[in-house]
Amino acid sequence: MNIPFDTDLAVMAIWGLIFAIFVIKLFQSIRLVPTKSAYIVERLGKYHSTLDAGFHTLIPFVDKVAYIHDLKEETIDVPPQECFSSDEVNVEVDGVIYISVTDPVKASYGITDYRYAAIQLAQTTTRSVIGTLDLDRTFEERDVISAKVVEVLDQAGAIWGIRVHRYEIKNITPPETVKNAMEMQVNAERERRALLAKSEGDKQSKINRSEGVKAETVNRSEGEMQRRINEAEGKAEEILTISRATAESIERLASVIAAPGGHNALRMQLGEQYMKQLDGLSQKNTRVVLPGNMVDFDYWMNSIGLKEAGLKDEPSR
């Protein structure tokens, strides 16, 4: 009586389990692929198709998603490694790779792990390139090292289904002894540049001062020359003006003398001046030796030709 009952339960449990597995597989066969992603589908263990972004259905128990690839650009850190330069200096170099998957099929079946392979190839290429450069050039030729690594990775990436966009070196760390020597060298170079800049500044300062003194001397000499020219021109103008005034006064005096009664007027004026001068000689404590005929006014007028002219004018008066 109990045996048929147990058999029925077992059969129902098995069918229930089969149905649950079928439902699970049915739901698993429905795939929603995100943007910039690719799903590699295998059918019975063999590559079948690549699912792009969107809604897809698979055949349960036959198809399965073997690989999932993110097609966006990603960064991969390259761990630090020891490299020897051409002058036998040991430096530690690390970097970062920027890659993206371009062919999901090759990235799945062309290589086991393209990320690890890219890191290893970047390290070996970096060592080989640094081995051809001396220590000083390793700091200057970072672009050369990066370009060479990108070139080598691109060649391999064509087989691996990836594209290497760029490779950047983050740090190049020499030993402490070399670092100290380089710092001393840099400090010495800075001091040399500072001394050179100071000497150039002193030189330029002296040149500027000498040019300033020269310009000041030239300006003073030109100013002195212009002052003398102006004074000479002023004196010349003064002499010319005085001579013109003197000539004009002489002409006017001659015209006055030539006029009727001119001799008598001139004689009267000279007499007045004569008397003023004689009055000045009569001051106290003043001793003057004069000719005997100094007070003879007629004599002096006659000596300059005014006496006779005055006598000729008297009849007309």
Side-chain angles (χ1 to χ4, degrees):
M1 295 294 296
N2 295 329
I3 294 175
F5 178 76
D6 294 337
T7 303
D8 292 339
L9 289 178
V11 171
M12 291 179 63
I14 292 172
W15 280 106
L17 180 62
I18 293 173
F19 180 76
I21 294 174
F22 179 78
V23 171
I24 292 173
K25 289 294 183 180
L26 182 62
F27 279 103
Q28 288 180 347
S29 65
I30 299 173
R31 292 290 178 147
L32 297 175
V33 181
T35 304
K36 299 294 290 185
S37 296
Y39 287 13
I40 301 300
V41 177
E42 292 181 352
R43 176 167 292 177
L44 300 177
K46 183 180 179 181
Y47 170 75
H48 174 66
S49 62
T50 301
L51 303 182
D52 297 328
F55 176 81
H56 301 275
T57 58
L58 305 177
I59 300 176
F61 304 103
V62 177
D63 296 339
K64 73 170 184 177
V65 176
Y67 300 97
I68 298 176
H69 293 287
D70 191 348
L71 303 182
K72 296 189 292 292
E73 183 177 345
E74 61 178 312
T75 60
I76 302 176
D77 288 328
V78 179
Q81 61 170 334
E82 293 184 352
C83 304
F84 284 92
S85 61
S86 61
D87 49 357
E88 300 299 329
V89 178
N90 185 14
V91 295
E92 192 175 77
V93 183
D94 61 345
V96 59
I97 307 173
Y98 297 84
I99 66 174
S100 61
V101 176
T102 56
D103 191 335
V105 177
K106 290 182 179 180
S108 301
Y109 303 104
I111 192 168
T112 304
D113 188 348
Y114 65 87
R115 293 182 180 86
Y116 178 77
I119 292 174
Q120 296 300 314
L121 186 57
Q123 288 182 327
T124 56
T125 305
T126 301
R127 284 197 297 267
S128 63
V129 175
I130 290 180
T132 62
L133 304 174
D134 56 23
L135 180 61
D136 292 336
R137 290 187 60 195
T138 56
F139 297 98
E140 301 172 358
E141 303 292 341
R142 292 193 177 200
D143 293 340
V144 175
I145 300 173
S146 300
K148 185 63 178 178
V149 172
V150 171
E151 180 183 355
V152 174
L153 287 175
D154 266 344
Q155 294 175 359
I159 301 173
W160 299 342
I162 63 173
R163 178 186 176 187
V164 179
H165 299 278
R166 55 193 175 277
Y167 171 73
E168 299 292 340
I169 297 176
K170 293 195 294 186
N171 298 298
I172 299 178
T173 307
E176 287 297 327
T177 55
V178 177
K179 187 185 297 185
N180 295 334
M182 293 176 64
E183 289 179 356
M184 294 175 62
Q185 181 180 0
V186 171
N187 292 333
E189 180 65 19
R190 288 176 180 173
E191 291 178 359
R192 185 188 69 83
R193 291 180 181 178
L195 292 175
L196 180 61
K198 183 178 180 181
S199 63
E200 289 290 336
D202 293 340
K203 175 183 176 182
Q204 190 63 37
S205 176
K206 291 179 180 180
I207 292 174
N208 293 339
R209 289 197 194 98
S210 62
E211 290 181 351
V213 172
K214 176 183 176 182
E216 182 181 3
T217 304
V218 171
N219 291 337
R220 286 182 178 178
S221 63
E222 291 180 353
E224 182 66 20
M225 179 183 68
Q226 189 64 37
R227 184 185 66 82
R228 293 181 179 180
I229 292 174
N230 293 339
E231 289 181 354
E233 291 179 352
K235 290 180 179 179
E237 186 68 24
E238 180 183 1
I239 293 172
L240 182 60
T241 303
I242 293 174
S243 63
R244 289 176 181 174
T246 303
E248 185 177 354
S249 63
I250 292 173
E251 290 178 356
R252 290 183 179 181
L253 183 60
S255 62
V256 170
I257 294 173
H263 285 80
N264 293 332
L266 179 59
R267 190 170 182 275
M268 183 181 295
Q269 185 176 4
L270 291 176
E272 182 180 356
Q273 295 294 329
Y274 180 78
M275 296 304 295
K276 287 182 179 179
Q277 295 298 326
L278 290 179
D279 184 62
L281 297 176
S282 63
Q283 296 179 359
K284 186 179 180 180
N285 297 328
T286 301
R287 294 181 181 182
V288 180
V289 179
L290 297 174
N293 58 351
M294 185 65 186
V295 294
D296 190 354
F297 178 72
D298 293 334
Y299 172 78
W300 289 103
M301 293 298 102
N302 187 35
S303 65
I304 60 176
L306 291 178
K307 185 175 182 58
E308 294 181 357
L311 293 176
K312 291 179 180 180
D313 291 337
E314 286 179 0
S316 62
R317 188 188 306 175

